[in-house]
Amino acid sequence: MKHILVPMQKILLECIMKVGKAVIFPGSDLENCLVDSQLRSEQIDLIIKIEQNNREKFRGILSGLSFLILDADYSEDEILNNPTVGTQILQNVNRMLDYTRIQQCLFSRPEYLMGRPGVIDGTQCFFLLDEDGKIDNVFLADKVFYSIQPGIGLDLGFHEFADEELYNAIYSERTDEVYLEYRSLLGDACEAMRILDINRCFVYLFSKVDRMGHCDTYHFTDNKKRIIACLAKNQEQFNIYSNQFYFYSKEIRTKIVHQGNHILNYVPIKKAYEVINNLFLLIVNFCNAIINTQITVFDDLDVYILKKVNEFVYEMPLIEEETEESIPALEGNKSVYFAEISNMEVTDPLKLGNVIFLPKLGSFNYRNVYGNYVNKDLGGEYDEIYKRFTIEDMEYILEITKHTEMKQIMEKHVVAIIIKMPSLVEREDGPLGRENLCDYICNEIEKGYNYFVLTDEECYALGVLPSKVGIINQIRLVYQYDEFTDDITPIPGRVYAEYFEPEEKYVVKENAVIWNPEIYEILYCSELNELKLLCKTALERICETYYISDWTIRISYLYDILDMLHPETTKGDKLLKNLLAFTCNTRQQYDNEKIDHELLRTKYRNPILHGGKQIWEITDSLNEIKELALKLELLITDYCVSLYRKDIATWEEQKAEYRCCQIRLGLIH
């Protein structure tokens, strides 16, 4: 039998590890590992043969890597001639690592997460071995650009399988519908570890919780009862779970998903990670419990869950009052920061929102900025490019760019300055923590170029996006400027060993024109009411999806954005009616788009969000998936623009305008 060899980066092994039917072994120092292993003799012989016949590569271009070996269930022709097969193999290998992720990895320490299987220099791949275990061919999948997976990786040392029940659940060979559903859900939950943005991670995990109770409605209270009844050992524990869920749903999810706010505006960073970890463990424990019932069909599962629900009495949840320790992480003193953008090219200073982009030193004219600053301050004429700059903005530019350190940075890269951001306090772990603060500031800077991400169709078609901010040579770094002491302090962040981007530069056209002022105003408006905040958040989240390489997660996130646009209903039919009434000009257009989106919702959204499906299980057409993403983006954007044009500020005004739209389209009289 032939085998497949998958390179594994960011995992340090001191032993040989079994993951179901596959085996992971280090590329060096094999002798000691084999002595202590509990592998069958034929597995040991295979690993020795692979190492001997590929020793030159293991010590050369593949040095420092570990490897996963598994049987090839497909022929070489099937793998090399059908990219979907190779992609599925890599996805299956990724799922083999879920047990280790659950046991060894923490959301609060993402830098210790294993690397994505098969990724070498930004390309996913695996090797096909001949009968002698020698590398015979290579399967190359897509490039993995803009992956923001941090860290140096996971040092496993000696690996023990401490939870035999969970291990057996993950590596079971069952193929019944109940097992496939909840095994898929376990894998989806593990993917949340790759979502660095704490807000998006919470939303993603909660979407998994939403569907795991196998409830025939999407009413959260009904679903919650079914979930906690299967986990609680007694009434007291049932009540604790119920209160916890109520806080997560009503106090956090409502504010994030339905009101467009950030989780750190409501809870401190440690509490936020605690919430996320609890959600993750809830999914793991529930899925493990359901799998270990040995129930194989959903009808029997419904009977089992209903019986468990009837064992408990549901009481209205209570939420404990917040203590002083729950001061949100984003409160406190404000400061000025700047960071590099490695692939961006601009010719003039540019301001988008509260972010200022400065060209490289060769194109930066200090005297020109100073002259325009003086003229603007005195009420004289100044260049058009400084129209959106305030006097304070220009003062910051002049003060910061005079520093030698800043000049050295500008010699190589475009620099972005952002003002009025949270300040790093004296303690290095601070309210956000040094690494978390660095990520937060860089993420906020990235919102500055969202206008270009949304409107630059040419670069999007070429697959070239602005770099993730602050990552130079795979290390993230932001600088804090103290305007009182005139000092610049570097704040190093995490290592991003998997970060790669295209060689092409992202070029902002000379004298960049804001040709879509409505999109600009939605993204960067500073006077926010609840509807403007909702639209701003929705467009920002669309931009985030462009950097997601996994199409299942990307489509799931787009549907999450769509769902948040009308927080008073979770029913898809009512949501579509509301949105389309604002975006359609005629009854015919309304009817056609409603039918189209209902079909898409049935085909894609419900199987992905509530059925645990990967999008490649639904279709193998990338063009079809891209068309779906575009339709969702257009519906979200058109609705936000419609609200902006109508200057709707409150949900009461939205309801009144909705009725007017219904009358205009002939939906009601």
Side-chain angles (χ1 to χ4, degrees):
M1 176 181 288
K2 290 190 176 183
H3 296 85
I4 289 171
L5 188 70
V6 183
M8 308 279 294
Q9 63 169 342
K10 293 175 59 180
I11 176 170
L12 179 61
L13 283 175
E14 297 176 14
C15 61
I16 292 178
M17 185 172 74
K18 287 191 66 177
V19 284
K21 287 187 173 182
V23 175
I24 303 178
F25 63 91
S28 59
D29 195 27
L30 263 177
E31 186 174 339
N32 293 331
C33 296
L34 288 170
V35 171
D36 296 329
S37 76
Q38 297 180 359
L39 300 180
R40 301 190 309 271
S41 59
E42 60 267 26
Q43 291 176 313
I44 293 176
D45 292 342
L46 175 61
I47 291 174
I48 292 174
K49 186 163 59 174
I50 291 171
E51 194 277 333
Q52 289 176 344
N53 290 333
N54 299 283
R55 186 169 295 170
E56 185 177 339
K57 290 185 175 66
F58 280 16
R59 295 178 179 178
I61 60 174
L62 300 178
S63 64
L65 299 176
S66 296
F67 299 91
L68 182 145
I69 180 73
L70 72 159
D71 296 340
D73 294 329
Y74 300 90
S75 70
E76 186 170 319
D77 287 342
E78 286 178 307
I79 293 172
L80 296 178
N81 295 329
N82 187 350
T84 304
V85 172
T87 301
Q88 187 62 54
I89 290 172
L90 287 168
Q91 289 175 348
N92 292 341
V93 170
N94 193 31
R95 293 283 64 83
M96 290 177 184
L97 304 177
D98 287 340
Y99 178 84
T100 305
R101 293 186 181 106
I102 293 169
Q103 291 289 306
Q104 301 287 335
C105 301
L106 298 172
F107 282 89
S108 58
R109 302 301 295 176
E111 54 269 31
Y112 297 141
L113 185 62
M114 291 176 289
R116 191 184 299 272
V119 175
I120 299 179
D121 293 335
T123 300
Q124 278 193 295
C125 66
F126 59 80
F127 304 108
L128 302 171
L129 305 180
D130 62 19
E131 297 292 349
D132 295 323
K134 188 174 182 178
I135 293 176
D136 183 46
N137 217 326
V138 59
F139 170 81
L140 297 176
D142 294 334
K143 291 279 187 180
V144 182
F145 289 138
Y146 308 112
S147 172
I148 199 75
Q149 174 60 50
I152 55 177
L154 181 63
D155 183 352
L156 277 173
F158 181 73
H159 190 64
E160 294 183 346
F161 297 111
D163 191 333
E164 185 176 352
E165 185 180 84
L166 178 62
Y167 182 89
N168 291 334
I170 285 178
Y171 298 113
S172 171
E173 295 183 32
R174 284 169 53 183
T175 58
D176 56 88
E177 61 181 356
V178 171
Y179 177 77
L180 293 179
E181 162 76 5
Y182 289 98
R183 177 61 185 92
S184 174
L185 201 53
L186 278 171
D188 289 351
C190 289
E191 285 304 303
M193 291 182 176
R194 298 188 181 280
I195 303 175
L196 190 62
D197 184 281
I198 197 167
N199 226 36
R200 183 155 56 85
C201 187
F202 175 87
V203 172
Y204 175 82
L205 280 172
F206 220 108
S207 74
K208 306 306 169 187
V209 172
D210 262 342
R211 76 169 190 260
M212 71 183 185
H214 200 248
C215 193
D216 56 1
T217 71
Y218 296 150
H219 190 266
F220 181 71
T221 301
D222 294 337
N223 194 39
K224 178 182 76 171
K225 293 176 187 176
R226 295 167 67 88
I227 294 169
I228 62 179
C230 293
L231 293 173
K233 293 182 172 61
N234 51 53
Q235 183 67 47
E236 180 183 4
Q237 196 174 50
F238 182 91
N239 293 339
I240 291 172
Y241 281 138
S242 181
N243 290 341
Q244 185 183 55
F245 253 118
Y246 189 81
F247 172 70
Y248 294 166
S249 177
K250 295 295 183 182
E251 294 298 308
I252 298 182
R253 183 175 67 160
T254 298
K255 291 181 173 68
I256 293 174
V257 176
H258 298 310
Q259 296 175 10
N261 292 312
H262 200 286
I263 190 172
L264 296 181
N265 286 324
Y266 301 100
V267 295
I269 187 74
K270 289 183 179 179
K271 177 69 173 178
Y273 277 123
E274 180 185 323
V275 168
I276 284 175
N277 196 60
N278 286 344
L279 281 178
F280 174 74
L281 292 177
L282 185 83
I283 296 170
V284 171
N285 292 335
F286 182 82
C287 292
N288 189 31
I290 295 299
I291 289 172
N292 281 287
T293 63
Q294 303 303 320
I295 294 171
T296 59
V297 296
F298 286 131
D299 288 344
D300 292 346
L301 179 62
D302 287 334
V303 172
Y304 170 81
I305 292 178
L306 186 59
K307 180 182 177 182
K308 298 293 290 185
V309 170
N310 290 333
E311 293 177 5
F312 300 99
V313 177
Y314 181 75
E315 300 174 359
M316 186 62 189
L318 299 173
I319 297 180
E320 297 180 4
E321 293 185 7
E322 295 294 317
T323 64
E324 285 188 10
E325 293 181 357
S326 293
I327 297 174
L330 301 185
E331 290 185 357
N333 298 327
K334 302 299 180 183
S335 191
V336 179
Y337 298 86
F338 63 89
E340 301 164 77
I341 307 177
S342 63
N343 80 333
M344 182 179 277
E345 296 283 359
V346 298
T347 56
D348 300 295
L350 174 68
K351 184 181 181 185
L352 295 172
N354 65 333
V355 180
I356 300 165
F357 299 92
L358 299 181
K360 293 180 182 177
L361 196 61
S363 301
F364 180 71
N365 190 328
Y366 187 93
R367 290 187 176 183
N368 179 266
V369 177
Y370 181 77
N372 279 278
Y373 161 71
V374 171
N375 290 342
K376 189 162 188 172
D377 191 30
L378 297 176
E381 294 184 358
Y382 52 86
D383 294 344
E384 180 69 17
I385 61 173
Y386 296 104
K387 181 179 179 179
R388 291 189 295 274
F389 287 74
T390 66
I391 295 300
E392 183 183 36
D393 294 335
M394 301 178 80
E395 287 174 347
Y396 281 131
I397 294 173
L398 294 170
E399 290 297 322
I400 295 174
T401 55
K402 71 182 182 183
H403 284 261
T404 302
E405 188 173 8
M406 181 65 157
K407 291 177 181 178
Q408 291 173 343
I409 295 169
M410 290 176 66
E411 283 182 352
K412 299 178 180 178
H413 300 119
V414 166
V415 171
I417 301 172
I418 189 168
I419 62 176
K420 298 179 180 178
M421 287 287 104
S423 180
L424 184 67
V425 297
E426 292 181 5
R427 289 188 306 111
E428 198 173 64
D429 58 348
L432 275 175
R434 173 177 56 79
E435 294 168 340
N436 290 316
L437 178 67
C438 183
D439 282 329
Y440 175 77
I441 296 299
C442 290
N443 291 341
E444 290 299 304
I445 291 175
E446 286 166 9
K447 293 178 182 178
Y449 50 58
N450 278 347
Y451 175 81
F452 293 125
V453 174
L454 271 180
T455 60
D456 193 341
E457 297 179 2
E458 181 181 343
C459 285
Y460 175 65
L462 294 173
V464 180
L465 297 166
S467 298
K468 303 299 285 185
V469 169
I471 302 178
I472 307 297
N473 297 325
Q474 299 181 321
I475 299 174
R476 197 164 224 179
L477 181 66
V478 71
Y479 299 84
Q480 183 175 13
Y481 172 68
D482 189 322
E483 60 185 300
F484 300 106
T485 63
D486 197 33
D487 290 332
I488 291 176
T489 304
I491 302 175
R494 294 183 169 95
V495 175
Y496 289 91
E498 285 189 26
Y499 183 79
F500 298 95
E501 58 189 31
E503 294 181 0
E504 295 86 352
K505 295 290 185 181
Y506 183 87
V507 180
V508 178
K509 297 178 179 62
E510 189 173 355
N511 298 320
V513 176
I514 304 302
W515 62 269
N516 193 326
E518 292 169 330
I519 295 292
Y520 181 88
E521 287 298 324
I522 293 171
L523 284 170
Y524 305 119
C525 177
S526 58
E527 297 178 3
L528 296 173
N529 53 49
E530 62 179 325
L531 268 298
K532 285 184 178 179
L533 176 60
L534 179 75
C535 294
K536 172 185 171 70
T537 304
L539 295 192
E540 287 175 347
R541 291 181 181 176
I542 287 178
C543 295
E544 290 175 10
T545 68
Y546 292 165
Y547 290 87
I548 300 173
S549 59
D550 187 307
W551 278 103
T552 301
I553 295 178
R554 181 166 173 176
I555 294 299
S556 172
Y557 194 28
L558 283 169
Y559 271 115
D560 286 341
I561 299 168
L562 197 67
D563 288 347
M564 85 176 195
L565 293 178
H566 194 62
E568 295 190 1
T569 181
T570 56
K571 295 183 178 180
D573 184 58
K574 288 185 177 180
L575 175 71
L576 279 177
K577 287 178 179 178
N578 199 292
L579 270 56
L580 293 174
F582 282 87
T583 61
C584 294
N585 297 318
T586 66
R587 176 61 181 270
Q588 185 65 49
Q589 182 189 8
Y590 174 89
D591 290 340
N592 291 340
E593 292 201 19
K594 184 172 182 294
I595 292 172
D596 188 29
H597 277 284
E598 284 174 343
L599 291 173
L600 294 174
R601 190 178 182 89
T602 302
K603 182 176 181 179
Y604 293 103
R605 181 196 182 274
N606 294 344
I608 290 174
L609 268 69
H610 298 288
K613 298 284 188 182
Q614 294 290 322
I615 198 164
W616 299 108
E617 297 177 74
I618 302 170
T619 177
D620 60 0
S621 171
L622 180 57
N623 288 335
E624 186 178 325
I625 296 171
K626 288 182 176 180
E627 185 178 339
L628 169 64
L630 182 59
K631 286 181 178 179
L632 295 176
E633 292 165 19
L634 288 175
L635 179 56
I636 295 165
T637 304
D638 289 348
Y639 177 71
C640 292
V641 170
S642 179
L643 292 184
Y644 171 80
R645 287 174 179 168
K646 298 177 187 298
D647 196 25
I648 298 174
T650 66
W651 285 110
E652 288 72 22
E653 292 178 11
Q654 194 270 359
K655 288 178 184 177
E657 185 60 35
Y658 173 50
R659 181 173 176 80
C660 293
C661 291
Q662 287 179 302
I663 294 172
R664 173 176 57 81
L665 294 171
L667 299 171
I668 61 173
H669 301 286

